[in-house]
């Protein structure tokens, strides 16, 4: 098997992934639709009770913002997730006629892209449903939640290098979850393991900062603005290192105990 990156094999591997992960993708889409519809109905529920929607809308806005950011930050943890819905999934992947780089690329990017696509579909369905119910109950004001949120949350609201720094921070978090997924391959534990590691790193970072909240705020602002380009370069370098380590772990599959690198 050639070690080169072949687009034809990559396309076949993508189609194989879509077919074998079909049950998992349908389950995920249904989960997103159900969750989104419940949250998007909060303005209608609030209006039916008190004829006010502001607080309920704020909750919906948070959901719209947090859900895709969560996927972008922790999507690497999905690397092996769908394999646990059917027997010998990882072994079948290793036997496919594709290079290690192709398999790694598909397993890393496909779940993230699919989750984002499924979430987008779910949010649109939930928005249409909440608008329809709001029209039936004569809710005022009757807004499209997605349009209203996108109008209020704009990248122009951020100054300096803040958008770049936030993007690199999400990328670094994603690479950390990817590394955790390849180190602790049991889906029940890899997400928890990586989350604990990130919390420990955050606590250590916070303890190194001055105790005064004003000073901490100034430091964070400086990181996001004036030193944003330096911070972004550091985060990018760390992300590339995590991805390289994940690739190395993916290529070497030793059976280490019950939960470490579980095949």
């Amino acid at each position: 098997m050639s070690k080169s990156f072949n687009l034809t094999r990559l396309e076949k591997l993508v189609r194989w992934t879509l077919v074998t992960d079909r049950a998992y993708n349908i389950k995920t889409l249904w989960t997103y639709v159900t969750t989104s519809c419940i949250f998007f109905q909060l303005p209608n529920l609030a209006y039916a009770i008190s004829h006010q929607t502001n607080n309920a809308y704020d909750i919906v806005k948070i959901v719209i913002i947090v859900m895709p950011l969560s996927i972008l930050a922790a999507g690497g943890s999905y690397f092996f997730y769908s394999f646990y819905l059917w027997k010998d999934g990882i072994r079948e992947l290793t036997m496919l006629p594709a290079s290690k780089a192709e398999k790694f690329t598909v397993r890393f990017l496909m779940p993230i892209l699919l989750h984002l696509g499924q979430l987008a579909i779910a949010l649109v369905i939930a928005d249409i449903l909440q608008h329809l119910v709001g029209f039936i109950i004569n809710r005022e004001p009757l807004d499209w939640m997605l349009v209203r949120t996108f109008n209020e949350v704009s990248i122009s609201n951020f100054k300096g290098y803040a958008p770049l720094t936030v993007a690199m921070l999400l990328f670094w978090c994603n690479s950390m979850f990817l590394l955790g997924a390849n180190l602790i391959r049991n889906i029940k534990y890899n997400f928890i393991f990586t989350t604990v590691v990130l919390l420990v790193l955050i606590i250590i970072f916070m303890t190194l900062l001055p105790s005064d909240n004003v000073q901490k705020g100034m430091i964070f602002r400086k990181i996001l603005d004036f030193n944003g380009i330096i911070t972004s370069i550091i985060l990018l370098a760390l992300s590339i290192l995590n991805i390289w380590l994940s690739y190395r772990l993916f290529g070497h599959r030793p059976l280490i105990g019950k939960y470490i690198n579980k095949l």
Side-chain angles (χ1 to χ4, degrees), residues 36-85:
S36 300
C37 286
I38 292 175
F39 279 107
F40 273 59
Q41 290 303 319
L42 291 179
N44 291 327
L45 179 62
Y47 183 80
I49 296 175
S50 62
H51 291 279
Q52 294 181 355
T53 61
N54 290 336
N55 293 335
Y57 166 70
D58 290 337
I59 297 176
V60 176
K61 182 169 67 173
I62 293 174
V63 170
I64 294 174
I65 296 173
V66 169
M67 290 183 73
L69 290 181
S70 299
I71 296 174
L72 292 173
S77 63
Y78 302 142
F79 196 89
F80 293 107
Y81 193 95
S82 60
F83 287 146
Y84 289 91
L85 297 183

Side-chain angles (χ1 to χ4, degrees), residues 226-239:
F226 302 107
N227 293 335
I229 188 67
I230 299 176
T231 305
S232 299
I233 292 174
I234 295 174
L235 289 173
L236 178 61
L238 293 174
S239 301

Side-chain angles (χ1 to χ4, degrees), residues 172-210:
W172 174 73
C173 288
N174 202 325
S175 69
M176 287 290 291
F177 278 99
L178 174 67
L179 181 58
N182 280 275
L183 182 62
I184 310 293
R185 292 187 178 180
N186 191 309
I187 186 59
K188 295 179 181 179
Y189 304 103
N190 84 72
F191 184 86
I192 298 175
F193 169 78
T194 308
T195 302
V196 171
V197 171
L198 287 175
L199 288 176
V200 171
L201 292 177
I202 292 173
I203 292 173
I204 294 175
F205 177 73
M206 295 299 293
T207 56
L208 296 177
L209 295 178

Side-chain angles (χ1 to χ4, degrees), residues 45 88-89 112 124 129 132 154 167 181:
L45 179 62
D88 294 331
I112 297 175
V124 170
L129 183 60
L132 178 60
S154 173

Side-chain angles (χ1 to χ4, degrees), residues 77-164:
S77 63
Y78 302 142
F79 196 89
F80 293 107
Y81 193 95
S82 60
F83 287 146
Y84 289 91
L85 297 183
W86 51 288
K87 188 177 180 181
D88 294 331
I90 298 178
R91 285 192 176 91
E92 289 189 25
L93 175 66
T94 59
M95 295 173 63
L96 290 176
S99 67
K100 182 175 68 174
E102 293 159 358
K103 295 173 184 177
F104 181 83
T105 301
V106 170
R107 291 312 307 172
F108 179 29
L109 297 181
M110 279 286 290
I112 297 175
L113 295 176
L114 285 172
H115 274 264
L116 289 174
Q118 292 161 353
L119 178 60
I121 294 172
L123 292 177
V124 170
I125 293 174
D127 205 8
I128 293 174
L129 183 60
Q130 72 81 19
H131 198 274
L132 178 60
V133 174
F135 176 78
I136 293 174
I137 65 175
N138 295 317
R139 193 186 83 215
E140 293 291 343
L142 185 59
D143 295 319
W144 293 101
M145 297 298 174
L146 292 176
V147 175
R148 181 173 174 177
T149 300
F150 292 151
N151 288 337
E152 293 183 5
V153 181
S154 173
I155 195 172
S156 60
N157 295 331
F158 298 93
K159 298 180 181 180
Y161 294 102
L164 176 62

